[in-house]
Amino acid sequence: MQFPQALETVLQALARMRDGSAHRPCASRSALDALDQAAPARTSENLRKPKINIEVAKDPKKTEKLAAVQTRVSVCTKCPNLASSRTQTVFGVGNPDAEIMFIGEAPGADEDAQGEPFVGRAGQLLTKIIKAMGFARAQVYIANILKCRPDVPAGSFGNRAPTPREMQTCRPYLMEQIEIIKPKVIVALGAAAVEGLLGTRAPMRELRGRWEFFNGTPLMITYHPAYLLRNQSASEKRKVWEDMMQVLERLDKPISEKQRNYFL
Ligand code: SF4
């Protein structure tokens, strides 16, 4: 076992003891200092449930590489304000051999709490879209540009969009994920995902439905599911579905009559 993984295992065990046992773990000051130096991101506040949730790939090296990136992400403090406010990092989830990779902007409150991207209402809609395309959620890969929830002032509700600087800082992790997974198609969900991946800023009504390329991989731009929750019009939902049919065509997947007539 590599040192970062061993350290991660020790930290997880300590967090379990702290959260689930009447006897809280004790450690000498020198032991704490040594741990602190090895993992500067971890404080007593954010020492909790780092979730290593990599599915097994056909090629074990792929699984190992993704786990190594996730381990680095889980202790990342490049954005100090986000590292200190997050509950945990939200790396990504799904099949490391996925043909499609869906990329959104950043974890929200639900994702920050659960350690998995797209688990709130927008996530449920994304899962519905994935199923309508003929895939199980576990067959695709889902990630965000940012691995930490953008901080919001204490006591305020809702989520904020990531800043360009935060996206730029976190982007290399996503680049590594894409490089390891090698999807056949990337779907960029919303304007922040487009900006984070392509550096392009424009209204989504001009961008969506267009094929672009990200380092040689075809990339389809469509609306973020959260936009569809805010704008329930059938025409906007249909646009997203038409974008997804373009993705199916690009992957040479058969599209049934039922799918062609489908409205989200
Ligand atoms: S957002 Fe990304 S770069 Fe910033 S602290 Fe989190 S993992 Fe690190």
Side-chain angles (χ1 to χ4, degrees):
M1 191 184 278
Q2 300 288 313
F3 178 70
Q5 289 163 285
L7 178 61
E8 202 61 38
T9 305
V10 170
L11 293 172
Q12 285 181 29
L14 285 171
R16 272 199 302 277
M17 285 166 70
R18 185 198 62 186
D19 292 339
S21 148
H23 301 288
R24 293 172 75 82
C26 295
S28 68
R29 173 49 53 196
S30 57
L32 286 176
D33 287 346
L35 272 177
D36 211 31
Q37 273 184 7
R42 299 199 169 277
T43 65
S44 57
E45 279 311 302
N46 65 12
L47 178 63
R48 50 177 291 178
K49 50 181 181 185
K51 200 168 165 185
I52 305 292
N53 51 2
I54 307 287
E55 299 292 325
V56 176
K58 283 186 196 139
D59 176 359
K61 280 195 187 136
K62 219 172 175 183
T63 313
E64 249 174 56
K65 283 183 193 168
L66 272 179
V69 182
Q70 183 168 8
T71 300
R72 275 188 280 123
V73 165
S74 71
V75 294
C76 177
T77 53
K78 287 187 205 168
C79 316
N81 53 322
L82 306 194
S84 60
S85 64
R86 72 188 177 211
T87 303
Q88 58 196 310
T89 53
V90 180
F91 182 66
V93 70
N95 179 3
D97 297 314
E99 290 179 289
I100 311 178
M101 200 163 164
F102 290 89
I103 298 175
E105 60 177 54
D110 294 321
E111 290 74 20
D112 175 69
Q114 296 186 41
E116 186 172 327
F118 284 93
V119 290
R121 283 180 65 226
Q124 286 163 17
L125 181 53
L126 178 63
T127 304
K128 186 178 166 193
I129 293 169
I130 291 166
K131 283 185 181 164
M133 292 172 77
F135 295 95
R137 184 173 155 111
Q139 285 178 291
V140 304
Y141 197 91
I142 305 171
N144 281 310
I145 300 283
L146 232 64
K147 310 302 184 206
C148 298
R149 183 187 182 208
D151 53 346
V152 290
S156 65
F157 294 99
N159 301 312
R160 76 160 168 86
T163 65
R165 188 192 175 107
E166 288 165 348
M167 289 197 282
Q168 220 31 54
T169 309
C170 205
R171 191 173 184 270
Y173 294 130
L174 179 64
M175 304 260 303
E176 285 190 77
Q177 284 174 293
I178 295 171
E179 184 52 37
I180 295 166
I181 293 165
K182 296 197 187 332
K184 290 184 183 162
V185 170
I186 294 170
V187 178
L189 300 164
V194 177
E195 186 180 343
L197 286 162
L198 305 175
T200 307
R201 270 199 213 190
M204 276 303 289
R205 65 178 178 280
E206 290 170 20
L207 293 172
R208 69 136 284 275
R210 263 179 30 196
W211 282 108
E212 298 285 345
F213 282 91
F214 179 80
N215 288 350
T217 304
L219 180 148
M220 167 55 65
I221 299 172
T222 197
Y223 289 126
H224 192 285
Y227 168 77
L228 296 183
L229 293 175
R230 290 193 302 273
N231 185 337
Q232 296 277 344
S233 81
S235 62
E236 295 303 90
K237 291 180 175 178
R238 177 67 193 180
K239 283 176 192 165
V240 170
W241 183 241
E242 280 170 5
D243 299 342
M244 295 307 98
M245 282 199 286
Q246 285 202 64
V247 169
L248 291 175
E249 275 164 11
R250 190 96 189 194
L251 291 170
D252 285 329
K253 302 284 179 197
I255 302 177
S256 67
E257 203 49 36
K258 191 176 164 196
Q259 281 174 312
R260 286 203 186 279
N261 296 325
Y262 185 72
F263 277 81
L264 291 170

